[in-house]
């Protein structure tokens, strides 16, 4: 608990465990942040230059995970702006909406036949520097009105092929309980929708959100609901995030993790295997490892596809298949996700393959169909 409260030992236990307190006390300015942590010159400049474009917000909880002595702390890199975000090259090479999410109905993206994505708010507990939806943050902290949500719902009702509604943002679970329930109730009026998924990073950024039984009651009532969350580094798995996950799982809500491969944060096989082990221990399935999208203002987080493949290859044989995420790139222009795998087929002649085993051994194997 002492580790968890770095910089905040004067705050009462009750406040610290309150989500509302965490949100009310988010660190939003350079002056405020400086009180807690000595900043690097590129961070000071970054905060000044990203103002109004890519906002700063950090919950006291997430800030407390930073080691102030370490300029390369993975939490620090995800949460504190640096000048590189507005560097000419990082700006020029990136696209605000590389995945073409913006369409006819504000907030709704219908890319795959069976699934739709609803973006219901621009509000997040922390503004992650690598966010693929950075473009929406300059709009301020706004959530969709009931009328806008109704338009999205009407669309889903008219499209009977939609079985799966993915609610994202911003962070949809930052909405008021009343609004969360309104959205769920309206979606559940549609017979052809089978599952509802929330994309939320609150288990990582403000796990106290899930200490609220009323929220959990609502989520349980509109089952089947799944949660996709976004742990990127083993340091993010703390007593409090573990407790949040446990409370979610006890309500019959499975939790999957979607990490993003980020230079300087987790582009390291040892870090990623540690992340997967920690996730399995708290019963979260590592589902995806996304290659960082070419997003304006986040290009500096990109690494190579070779690095991603190296990480996946390293994991095979060292951790259960359950712990190996699907490594994927999202194609530009909204063409969808493509899974990538290291190549284990060294050669093939007829039905005779030479495979490379997890330990690097070459194994000949003839696979015939029995007539
Ligand atoms: C990623 C994504 C989905 C969900 O894809 P899954 O593989 O089912 O998680 C749905 N719609 C859009 C627009 C997406 O980008
Ligand atoms: S919580 Fe998610 S949507 Fe919000 S800034 Fe972070 S990555 Fe982006």
């Amino acid at each position: 608990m002492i580790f968890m409260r770095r910089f905040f030992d004067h705050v009462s236990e009750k406040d610290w465990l309150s989500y509302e307190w965490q949100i009310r006390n988010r660190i939003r300015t350079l002056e405020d942040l400086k009180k807690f942590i000595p900043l690097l010159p590129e961070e000071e400049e970054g905060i000044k230059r990203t103002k109004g474009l890519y906002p700063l917000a950090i919950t006291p909880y997430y800030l407390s995970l930073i080691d102030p002595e370490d300029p390369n702390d993975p939490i620090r890199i995800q949460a504190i702006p640096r000048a590189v975000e507005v560097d000419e090259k990082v700006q020029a090479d990136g696209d605000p909406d590389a995945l073409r999410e913006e369409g006819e109905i504000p907030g709704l993206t219908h890319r795959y036949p069976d699934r739709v994505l609803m973006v219901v708010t621009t509000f997040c507990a922390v503004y992650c520097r690598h966010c693929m939806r950075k473009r929406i943050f300059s709009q301020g902290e706004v959530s969709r009105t009931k009328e806008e949500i109704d338009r999205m719902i009407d669309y889903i009702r008219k499209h009977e092929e939609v079985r799966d509604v993915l609610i994202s943002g911003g962070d949809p679970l930052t909405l008021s309980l009343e609004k969360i329930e309104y959205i769920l109730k309206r979606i559940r009026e549609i017979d052809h929708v089978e599952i509802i998924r929330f994309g939320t990073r609150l288990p990582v950024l403000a796990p106290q959100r899930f200490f609220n039984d009323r929220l959990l009651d609502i989520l349980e009532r509109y089952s089947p609901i799944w949660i996709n969350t976004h742990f990127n580094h083993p340091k993010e798995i703390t007593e409090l995030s573990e407790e949040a996950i446990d409370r979610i799982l006890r309500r019959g809500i499975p939790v999957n993790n979607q990490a993003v491969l980020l230079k300087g944060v987790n582009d390291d096989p040892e870090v990623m295997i540690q992340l997967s082990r920690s996730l399995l221990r708290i019963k979260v399935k590592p589902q995806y490892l996304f290659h960082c999208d070419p997003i304006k203002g986040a290009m500096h987080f990109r690494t190579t596809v070779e690095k991603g493949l190296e990480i996946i290859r390293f994991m095979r044989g060292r951790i259960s298949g359950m712990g190996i995420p699907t490594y994927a790139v999202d194609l530009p222009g909204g063409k969808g996700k493509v899974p990538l795998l290291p190549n284990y087929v060294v050669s093939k002649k007829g039905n005779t393959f030479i495979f490379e085993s997890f330990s690097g051994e070459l194994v000949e194997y003839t696979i015939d169909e029995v007539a």
Side-chain angles (χ1 to χ4, degrees), residues 124 126-128 130-133 137 169-171 201 205 230:
C124 288
V126 171
Y127 292 107
C128 310
H130 59 273
C131 182
M132 50 118 37
R133 295 210 182 97
F137 296 133
D171 204 311
R201 207 180 183 202
L205 307 172
H230 180 35

Side-chain angles (χ1 to χ4, degrees), residues 141-157:
E141 296 185 322
V142 283
S143 60
R144 295 279 172 206
T145 61
K146 280 196 172 157
E147 291 67 37
E148 289 171 319
I149 286 166
D150 288 346
R151 274 191 77 191
M152 297 192 231
I153 302 277
D154 279 343
Y155 178 95
I156 298 169
R157 185 181 301 109

Side-chain angles (χ1 to χ4, degrees), residues 243-277:
E243 162 111 29
I245 296 293
D246 189 56
R247 286 175 187 244
I248 297 168
L249 293 174
R250 282 176 195 280
R251 299 303 188 107
I253 302 165
V255 186
N256 285 310
N257 192 60
Q258 306 193 338
V260 182
L261 181 59
L262 300 173
K263 197 195 282 182
V265 173
N266 59 12
D267 58 337
D268 175 327
E270 286 294 348
V271 168
M272 285 307 293
I273 204 162
Q274 210 53 56
L275 174 64
S276 274
R277 284 192 192 124

Side-chain angles (χ1 to χ4, degrees), residues 291-338:
H291 198 78
C292 186
D293 294 317
I295 300 298
K296 191 170 172 140
M299 293 292 283
H300 55 296
F301 283 111
R302 299 192 103 193
T303 172
T304 60
V305 165
E306 282 69 33
K307 177 56 78 176
L309 291 173
E310 177 199 332
I311 290 171
I312 299 299
R313 184 183 286 272
F314 180 84
M315 285 187 169
R316 182 64 58 188
R318 288 185 177 85
I319 187 167
S320 153
M322 274 200 306
I324 306 179
T326 300
Y327 175 46
V329 294
D330 224 318
L331 296 177
K335 305 290 180 189
K337 298 175 179 65
V338 176

Side-chain angles (χ1 to χ4, degrees), residues 228-245:
N228 292 339
T229 193
H230 180 35
F231 287 96
N232 281 332
H233 193 280
K235 260 189 91 166
E236 294 169 336
I237 297 171
T238 65
E239 257 177 71
L240 291 193
S241 60
E242 182 172 354
E243 162 111 29
I245 296 293

